[in-house]
mmCIF file of all heavy atoms in Angstrom:
data_model
loop_
_atom_site.group_PDB
_atom_site.id
_atom_site.type_symbol
_atom_site.label_atom_id
_atom_site.label_comp_id
_atom_site.label_asym_id
_atom_site.label_seq_id
_atom_site.Cartn_x
_atom_site.Cartn_y
_atom_site.Cartn_z
ATOM 1 N N PRO A 15 106.418 97.479 74.734
ATOM 2 C CA PRO A 15 107.733 97.777 75.317
ATOM 3 C C PRO A 15 108.122 96.750 76.380
ATOM 4 O O PRO A 15 107.268 96.253 77.123
ATOM 5 C CB PRO A 15 107.526 99.163 75.936
ATOM 6 C CG PRO A 15 106.359 99.757 75.211
ATOM 7 C CD PRO A 15 105.469 98.592 74.904
ATOM 8 N N LEU A 16 109.403 96.458 76.482
ATOM 9 C CA LEU A 16 109.858 95.502 77.491
ATOM 10 C C LEU A 16 109.802 96.093 78.893
ATOM 11 O O LEU A 16 109.857 95.359 79.875
ATOM 12 C CB LEU A 16 111.279 95.040 77.158
ATOM 13 C CG LEU A 16 111.464 94.390 75.777
ATOM 14 C CD1 LEU A 16 112.884 93.864 75.619
ATOM 15 C CD2 LEU A 16 110.463 93.273 75.552
ATOM 16 N N GLY A 17 109.684 97.429 78.972
ATOM 17 C CA GLY A 17 109.550 98.075 80.275
ATOM 18 C C GLY A 17 108.145 98.038 80.849
ATOM 19 O O GLY A 17 107.926 98.503 81.977
ATOM 20 N N PHE A 18 107.195 97.500 80.110
ATOM 21 C CA PHE A 18 105.801 97.378 80.561
ATOM 22 C C PHE A 18 105.780 96.711 81.938
ATOM 23 O O PHE A 18 106.158 95.546 82.077
ATOM 24 C CB PHE A 18 105.032 96.546 79.530
ATOM 25 C CG PHE A 18 103.594 96.297 79.825
ATOM 26 C CD1 PHE A 18 102.668 97.316 79.817
ATOM 27 C CD2 PHE A 18 103.146 94.999 80.073
ATOM 28 C CE1 PHE A 18 101.321 97.063 80.057
ATOM 29 C CE2 PHE A 18 101.808 94.731 80.318
ATOM 30 C CZ PHE A 18 100.893 95.773 80.310
ATOM 31 N N PRO A 19 105.340 97.422 83.003
ATOM 32 C CA PRO A 19 105.554 96.919 84.363
ATOM 33 C C PRO A 19 104.435 96.083 84.963
ATOM 34 O O PRO A 19 104.541 95.659 86.114
ATOM 35 C CB PRO A 19 105.709 98.224 85.166
ATOM 36 C CG PRO A 19 104.800 99.184 84.471
ATOM 37 C CD PRO A 19 104.842 98.805 83.000
ATOM 38 N N PHE A 20 103.364 95.808 84.222
ATOM 39 C CA PHE A 20 102.171 95.213 84.822
ATOM 40 C C PHE A 20 102.125 93.689 84.911
ATOM 41 O O PHE A 20 101.378 93.152 85.734
ATOM 42 C CB PHE A 20 100.928 95.717 84.087
ATOM 43 C CG PHE A 20 100.668 97.175 84.290
ATOM 44 C CD1 PHE A 20 101.231 98.123 83.442
ATOM 45 C CD2 PHE A 20 99.888 97.622 85.342
ATOM 46 C CE1 PHE A 20 101.011 99.480 83.636
ATOM 47 C CE2 PHE A 20 99.658 98.975 85.547
ATOM 48 C CZ PHE A 20 100.226 99.909 84.688
ATOM 49 N N PRO A 21 102.863 92.934 84.089
ATOM 50 C CA PRO A 21 102.751 91.471 84.193
ATOM 51 C C PRO A 21 103.063 90.964 85.602
ATOM 52 O O PRO A 21 103.910 91.512 86.306
ATOM 53 C CB PRO A 21 103.805 90.976 83.187
ATOM 54 C CG PRO A 21 103.912 92.073 82.184
ATOM 55 C CD PRO A 21 103.754 93.334 82.979
ATOM 56 N N GLU A 22 102.344 89.921 86.004
ATOM 57 C CA GLU A 22 102.509 89.210 87.279
ATOM 58 C C GLU A 22 101.964 89.980 88.482
ATOM 59 O O GLU A 22 101.873 89.416 89.574
ATOM 60 C CB GLU A 22 103.973 88.832 87.519
ATOM 61 C CG GLU A 22 104.576 87.993 86.404
ATOM 62 C CD GLU A 22 106.042 87.673 86.647
ATOM 63 O OE1 GLU A 22 106.405 87.326 87.785
ATOM 64 O OE2 GLU A 22 106.839 87.767 85.676
ATOM 65 N N GLU A 23 101.571 91.234 88.297
ATOM 66 C CA GLU A 23 101.018 92.014 89.417
ATOM 67 C C GLU A 23 99.620 91.530 89.795
ATOM 68 O O GLU A 23 99.106 91.866 90.864
ATOM 69 C CB GLU A 23 100.980 93.502 89.072
ATOM 70 C CG GLU A 23 102.338 94.133 88.815
ATOM 71 C CD GLU A 23 103.230 94.170 90.045
ATOM 72 O OE1 GLU A 23 102.691 94.093 91.179
ATOM 73 O OE2 GLU A 23 104.463 94.280 89.890
ATOM 74 N N ASN A 24 98.986 90.737 88.922
ATOM 75 C CA ASN A 24 97.635 90.236 89.209
ATOM 76 C C ASN A 24 97.648 88.902 89.951
ATOM 77 O O ASN A 24 96.584 88.324 90.211
ATOM 78 C CB ASN A 24 96.834 90.091 87.911
ATOM 79 C CG ASN A 24 97.523 89.213 86.867
ATOM 80 O OD1 ASN A 24 98.487 88.507 87.180
ATOM 81 N ND2 ASN A 24 97.042 89.255 85.630
ATOM 82 N N LYS A 25 98.812 88.401 90.298
ATOM 83 C CA LYS A 25 98.907 87.096 90.961
ATOM 84 C C LYS A 25 98.104 87.107 92.267
ATOM 85 O O LYS A 25 98.261 87.988 93.106
ATOM 86 C CB LYS A 25 100.361 86.751 91.253
ATOM 87 C CG LYS A 25 100.562 85.338 91.789
ATOM 88 C CD LYS A 25 102.035 85.003 91.917
ATOM 89 C CE LYS A 25 102.262 83.592 92.464
ATOM 90 N NZ LYS A 25 101.688 82.555 91.597
ATOM 91 N N GLY A 26 97.233 86.133 92.421
ATOM 92 C CA GLY A 26 96.409 86.017 93.622
ATOM 93 C C GLY A 26 95.081 86.738 93.559
ATOM 94 O O GLY A 26 94.246 86.584 94.461
ATOM 95 N N TYR A 27 94.854 87.504 92.493
ATOM 96 C CA TYR A 27 93.626 88.291 92.419
ATOM 97 C C TYR A 27 92.386 87.407 92.303
ATOM 98 O O TYR A 27 91.421 87.570 93.062
ATOM 99 C CB TYR A 27 93.687 89.263 91.233
ATOM 100 C CG TYR A 27 92.418 90.075 91.060
ATOM 101 C CD1 TYR A 27 92.243 91.268 91.739
ATOM 102 C CD2 TYR A 27 91.397 89.633 90.218
ATOM 103 C CE1 TYR A 27 91.075 92.008 91.594
ATOM 104 C CE2 TYR A 27 90.229 90.363 90.063
ATOM 105 C CZ TYR A 27 90.069 91.548 90.749
ATOM 106 O OH TYR A 27 88.903 92.262 90.613
ATOM 107 N N ILE A 28 92.380 86.493 91.359
ATOM 108 C CA ILE A 28 91.167 85.728 91.062
ATOM 109 C C ILE A 28 90.714 84.907 92.271
ATOM 110 O O ILE A 28 89.536 84.902 92.630
ATOM 111 C CB ILE A 28 91.371 84.826 89.841
ATOM 112 C CG1 ILE A 28 91.552 85.684 88.585
ATOM 113 C CG2 ILE A 28 90.198 83.865 89.659
ATOM 114 C CD1 ILE A 28 90.349 86.533 88.235
ATOM 115 N N GLU A 29 91.626 84.214 92.912
ATOM 116 C CA GLU A 29 91.266 83.349 94.035
ATOM 117 C C GLU A 29 91.279 84.079 95.370
ATOM 118 O O GLU A 29 90.977 83.477 96.411
ATOM 119 C CB GLU A 29 92.225 82.151 94.093
ATOM 120 C CG GLU A 29 92.185 81.279 92.847
ATOM 121 C CD GLU A 29 90.967 80.369 92.785
ATOM 122 O OE1 GLU A 29 89.823 80.890 92.783
ATOM 123 O OE2 GLU A 29 91.139 79.145 92.749
ATOM 124 N N GLY A 30 91.601 85.362 95.352
ATOM 125 C CA GLY A 30 91.674 86.124 96.593
ATOM 126 C C GLY A 30 90.312 86.531 97.119
ATOM 127 O O GLY A 30 89.324 86.588 96.376
ATOM 128 N N ASP A 31 90.257 86.827 98.429
ATOM 129 C CA ASP A 31 89.022 87.352 99.014
ATOM 130 C C ASP A 31 88.863 88.816 98.619
ATOM 131 O O ASP A 31 89.697 89.386 97.905
ATOM 132 C CB ASP A 31 89.002 87.156 100.526
ATOM 133 C CG ASP A 31 90.159 87.855 101.243
ATOM 134 O OD1 ASP A 31 90.834 88.715 100.629
ATOM 135 O OD2 ASP A 31 90.393 87.538 102.429
ATOM 136 N N ASP A 32 87.787 89.443 99.083
ATOM 137 C CA ASP A 32 87.499 90.803 98.661
ATOM 138 C C ASP A 32 88.609 91.765 99.058
ATOM 139 O O ASP A 32 88.997 92.645 98.270
ATOM 140 C CB ASP A 32 86.162 91.262 99.257
ATOM 141 C CG ASP A 32 85.657 92.562 98.646
ATOM 142 O OD1 ASP A 32 85.609 92.644 97.402
ATOM 143 O OD2 ASP A 32 85.345 93.491 99.402
ATOM 144 N N ALA A 33 89.155 91.608 100.245
ATOM 145 C CA ALA A 33 90.229 92.488 100.698
ATOM 146 C C ALA A 33 91.472 92.328 99.825
ATOM 147 O O ALA A 33 92.144 93.313 99.483
ATOM 148 C CB ALA A 33 90.556 92.205 102.164
ATOM 149 N N THR A 34 91.790 91.086 99.468
ATOM 150 C CA THR A 34 92.949 90.830 98.609
ATOM 151 C C THR A 34 92.761 91.471 97.248
ATOM 152 O O THR A 34 93.673 92.111 96.703
ATOM 153 C CB THR A 34 93.166 89.308 98.447
ATOM 154 O OG1 THR A 34 93.426 88.732 99.727
ATOM 155 C CG2 THR A 34 94.316 89.019 97.511
ATOM 156 N N ARG A 35 91.575 91.330 96.697
ATOM 157 C CA ARG A 35 91.314 91.928 95.392
ATOM 158 C C ARG A 35 91.412 93.450 95.445
ATOM 159 O O ARG A 35 91.970 94.077 94.536
ATOM 160 C CB ARG A 35 89.931 91.501 94.888
ATOM 161 C CG ARG A 35 89.881 90.061 94.420
ATOM 162 C CD ARG A 35 88.551 89.743 93.775
ATOM 163 N NE ARG A 35 88.515 88.387 93.229
ATOM 164 C CZ ARG A 35 87.489 87.872 92.584
ATOM 165 N NH1 ARG A 35 86.394 88.606 92.396
ATOM 166 N NH2 ARG A 35 87.538 86.635 92.114
ATOM 167 N N GLN A 36 90.888 94.042 96.481
ATOM 168 C CA GLN A 36 90.969 95.491 96.594
ATOM 169 C C GLN A 36 92.417 95.951 96.716
ATOM 170 O O GLN A 36 92.811 96.984 96.157
ATOM 171 C CB GLN A 36 90.142 95.976 97.783
ATOM 172 C CG GLN A 36 88.643 95.838 97.569
ATOM 173 C CD GLN A 36 87.831 96.569 98.617
ATOM 174 O OE1 GLN A 36 88.128 97.705 98.956
ATOM 175 N NE2 GLN A 36 86.804 95.917 99.149
ATOM 176 N N ARG A 37 93.228 95.183 97.433
ATOM 177 C CA ARG A 37 94.643 95.539 97.584
ATOM 178 C C ARG A 37 95.363 95.457 96.240
ATOM 179 O O ARG A 37 96.145 96.351 95.889
ATOM 180 C CB ARG A 37 95.306 94.605 98.603
ATOM 181 C CG ARG A 37 96.820 94.798 98.734
ATOM 182 C CD ARG A 37 97.427 93.865 99.760
ATOM 183 N NE ARG A 37 97.130 92.456 99.513
ATOM 184 C CZ ARG A 37 97.750 91.717 98.589
ATOM 185 N NH1 ARG A 37 98.692 92.245 97.813
ATOM 186 N NH2 ARG A 37 97.432 90.437 98.436
ATOM 187 N N ILE A 38 95.100 94.394 95.475
ATOM 188 C CA ILE A 38 95.754 94.233 94.173
ATOM 189 C C ILE A 38 95.261 95.296 93.190
ATOM 190 O O ILE A 38 96.045 95.847 92.403
ATOM 191 C CB ILE A 38 95.518 92.810 93.636
ATOM 192 C CG1 ILE A 38 96.249 91.791 94.528
ATOM 193 C CG2 ILE A 38 95.984 92.677 92.188
ATOM 194 C CD1 ILE A 38 95.956 90.342 94.203
ATOM 195 N N ALA A 39 93.973 95.605 93.240
ATOM 196 C CA ALA A 39 93.443 96.665 92.383
ATOM 197 C C ALA A 39 94.082 98.006 92.723
ATOM 198 O O ALA A 39 94.420 98.795 91.831
ATOM 199 C CB ALA A 39 91.921 96.740 92.514
ATOM 200 N N ALA A 40 94.272 98.270 94.010
ATOM 201 C CA ALA A 40 94.902 99.520 94.430
ATOM 202 C C ALA A 40 96.342 99.599 93.943
ATOM 203 O O ALA A 40 96.831 100.677 93.561
ATOM 204 C CB ALA A 40 94.846 99.649 95.957
ATOM 205 N N LYS A 41 97.045 98.460 93.948
ATOM 206 C CA LYS A 41 98.418 98.435 93.431
ATOM 207 C C LYS A 41 98.423 98.765 91.938
ATOM 208 O O LYS A 41 99.286 99.528 91.462
ATOM 209 C CB LYS A 41 99.031 97.049 93.671
ATOM 210 C CG LYS A 41 100.404 96.845 93.035
ATOM 211 C CD LYS A 41 101.474 97.703 93.682
ATOM 212 C CE LYS A 41 102.848 97.531 92.996
ATOM 213 N NZ LYS A 41 103.380 96.166 93.114
ATOM 214 N N HIS A 42 97.472 98.224 91.204
ATOM 215 C CA HIS A 42 97.391 98.534 89.774
ATOM 216 C C HIS A 42 97.045 100.005 89.553
ATOM 217 O O HIS A 42 97.559 100.627 88.616
ATOM 218 C CB HIS A 42 96.351 97.639 89.096
ATOM 219 C CG HIS A 42 96.835 96.259 88.804
ATOM 220 N ND1 HIS A 42 96.936 95.293 89.780
ATOM 221 C CD2 HIS A 42 97.252 95.668 87.647
ATOM 222 C CE1 HIS A 42 97.393 94.170 89.234
ATOM 223 N NE2 HIS A 42 97.595 94.378 87.944
ATOM 224 N N ARG A 43 96.196 100.545 90.391
ATOM 225 C CA ARG A 43 95.866 101.970 90.274
ATOM 226 C C ARG A 43 97.111 102.821 90.485
ATOM 227 O O ARG A 43 97.383 103.745 89.705
ATOM 228 C CB ARG A 43 94.778 102.335 91.299
ATOM 229 C CG ARG A 43 94.439 103.821 91.339
ATOM 230 C CD ARG A 43 93.392 104.143 92.394
ATOM 231 N NE ARG A 43 93.185 105.578 92.515
ATOM 232 C CZ ARG A 43 92.025 106.194 92.499
ATOM 233 N NH1 ARG A 43 90.924 105.484 92.364
ATOM 234 N NH2 ARG A 43 91.947 107.501 92.620
ATOM 235 N N SER A 44 97.873 102.506 91.522
ATOM 236 C CA SER A 44 99.086 103.276 91.804
ATOM 237 C C SER A 44 100.105 103.121 90.685
ATOM 238 O O SER A 44 100.788 104.087 90.300
ATOM 239 C CB SER A 44 99.696 102.835 93.140
ATOM 240 O OG SER A 44 98.886 103.241 94.220
ATOM 241 N N LEU A 45 100.215 101.901 90.142
ATOM 242 C CA LEU A 45 101.162 101.657 89.064
ATOM 243 C C LEU A 45 100.766 102.438 87.805
ATOM 244 O O LEU A 45 101.628 102.967 87.084
ATOM 245 C CB LEU A 45 101.206 100.154 88.776
ATOM 246 C CG LEU A 45 102.463 99.557 88.126
ATOM 247 C CD1 LEU A 45 103.713 99.888 88.934
ATOM 248 C CD2 LEU A 45 102.306 98.048 87.987
ATOM 249 N N THR A 46 99.463 102.535 87.561
ATOM 250 C CA THR A 46 98.965 103.275 86.398
ATOM 251 C C THR A 46 99.177 104.771 86.563
ATOM 252 O O THR A 46 99.715 105.442 85.668
ATOM 253 C CB THR A 46 97.466 102.975 86.190
ATOM 254 O OG1 THR A 46 97.273 101.567 86.049
ATOM 255 C CG2 THR A 46 96.934 103.692 84.967
ATOM 256 N N LEU A 47 98.753 105.309 87.692
ATOM 257 C CA LEU A 47 98.958 106.735 87.944
ATOM 258 C C LEU A 47 100.442 107.060 88.038
ATOM 259 O O LEU A 47 100.877 108.152 87.639
ATOM 260 C CB LEU A 47 98.236 107.150 89.226
ATOM 261 C CG LEU A 47 96.709 107.169 89.152
ATOM 262 C CD1 LEU A 47 96.112 107.432 90.541
ATOM 263 C CD2 LEU A 47 96.229 108.227 88.162
ATOM 264 N N GLY A 48 101.217 106.117 88.563
ATOM 265 C CA GLY A 48 102.656 106.322 88.649
ATOM 266 C C GLY A 48 103.297 106.468 87.282
ATOM 267 O O GLY A 48 104.209 107.282 87.087
#
């Protein structure tokens, strides 16, 4: 579906520090549960 909301939400994850990764993972969790 074109409404699939997850693309680009992972930007900065790979090169991010542990705190950055946890923040991005939490955003994905909220987006999924949402």
Side-chain angles (χ1 to χ4, degrees):
L16 302 185
F18 179 67
F20 293 89
E22 303 178 43
E23 298 294 338
N24 55 13
K25 187 174 180 61
Y27 178 87
I28 293 297
E29 299 283 60
D31 60 14
D32 191 51
T34 299
R35 286 187 176 182
Q36 290 192 45
R37 174 179 55 78
I38 293 173
K41 173 68 182 297
H42 281 77
R43 175 182 174 130
S44 290
L45 204 55
T46 303
L47 290 173

